[in-house]
Amino acid sequence: MIDGVLLYDSQVSGNCYKVRLLLAQLELRCERREVDVVRREGRLELLGELNPALRVPTLVLDDGRSLGESNAIMWYLADGTGFLPTDEFERALVLQWLFFEQYSHEPNIAVARFLLKVSAEPADPARVQALQRAGYAALDAMERHLATRSYLVGERYSIADIALYAYTHVADEAGMDLARHPATVAWLARVRAQDRHIPITA
Ligand SMILES: N[C@@H](CCC(=O)N[C@@H](CS)C(=O)NCC(=O)O)C(=O)O
């Protein structure tokens, strides 16, 4: 039974937002520590004992154990709740979408967004365009799947939806538009309508 958690967090990060959103929907108490994702000095001292990748989100449980990787954190928090299916095959489908998010979606859309919105450095247009192209391929895959479904797995809202919502709903900040993805836009609205939903800016 989890009582309260400490989250090394970043307001602008979609990966951190996944964890904040799930914590809010689970009604778990959370203390936040904001970490600057642009200026990286002091990261080893701050996160060295907690997360081998030295990144946020990093979760610290009330017994002192710590966990990195947004999707691993969500899996841990959601297990045994309505946000993660109990059926073995559906759990594998959730993993399918979590790995898809980390390999095909986030490295393109989140990075284009970081370059255009978060980083203070001027973005290389050719790099941004290549990321957007690959990001659209990920959105096309979601669109094909969501054309006949309400949610990504098992017709129920789960951490698969939270993982993909995080950077899809801010794709405009990556210079992308969802005009060719109507089923994905409708799914975004369904995710937003869930109980205890919070915006990325909360
Ligand atoms: N795969 C990791 C990615 C984490 C990640 O890239 N975090 C970024 C913020 S979104 C970060 O910590 N950036 C600062 C840095 O790399 O030093 C996850 O899903 O948690």
Side-chain angles (χ1 to χ4, degrees):
M1 172 87 183
I2 298 168
D3 183 15
V5 296
L6 168 63
L7 180 66
Y8 288 87
D9 193 11
S10 156
Q11 187 69 64
V12 295
S13 157
N15 286 315
C16 293
Y17 171 55
K18 294 173 196 172
V19 178
R20 290 199 302 275
L21 174 54
L22 180 61
L23 286 168
Q25 294 187 313
L26 288 170
E27 298 183 286
L28 285 176
R29 215 165 33 81
C30 170
E31 180 191 332
R32 290 182 61 245
R33 296 224 178 122
E34 182 73 18
V35 175
D36 189 328
V37 292
V38 178
R39 296 174 59 232
R40 296 189 162 117
E41 58 266 23
R43 195 61 60 77
L44 188 61
E45 293 72 15
L46 187 66
L47 297 176
E49 299 291 316
L50 305 174
N51 180 348
L54 307 179
R55 291 184 167 211
V56 290
T58 296
L59 188 81
V60 185
L61 301 173
D62 47 12
D63 63 9
R65 288 179 299 167
S66 59
L67 190 59
E69 294 296 323
S70 55
N71 291 347
I73 295 170
M74 286 205 297
W75 184 277
Y76 177 74
L77 293 173
D79 206 5
T81 78
F83 297 91
L84 184 59
T86 51
D87 176 82
E88 289 300 321
F89 188 71
E90 286 189 352
R91 288 164 75 85
L93 286 174
V94 170
L95 285 175
Q96 170 195 296
W97 285 107
L98 299 186
F99 290 124
F100 167 84
E101 190 265 345
Q102 286 284 295
Y103 189 78
S104 304
H105 189 287
E106 191 261 13
N108 300 310
I109 300 177
V111 175
R113 174 177 177 264
F114 180 83
L115 295 174
L116 293 176
K117 181 188 156 78
V118 180
S119 168
E121 304 291 316
D124 167 12
R127 182 171 178 217
V128 171
Q129 272 168 26
L131 291 166
Q132 290 168 336
R133 254 195 313 278
Y136 278 122
L139 293 179
D140 292 346
M142 290 174 65
E143 181 70 14
R144 283 193 298 276
H145 187 74
L146 289 167
T148 55
R149 292 169 180 85
S150 300
Y151 297 100
L152 289 170
V153 178
E155 286 305 85
R156 259 189 40 211
Y157 178 68
S158 73
I159 58 170
D161 299 291
I162 297 179
L164 270 308
Y165 179 83
Y167 286 105
T168 303
H169 90 291
V170 289
D172 60 319
E173 296 174 353
M176 301 172 65
D177 84 69
L178 298 179
R180 288 188 300 106
H181 299 84
T184 304
V185 171
W187 164 81
L188 288 176
R190 278 192 290 278
V191 170
R192 228 176 348 256
Q194 297 296 312
D195 287 349
R196 296 184 294 281
H197 180 85
I198 55 165
I200 193 167
T201 48

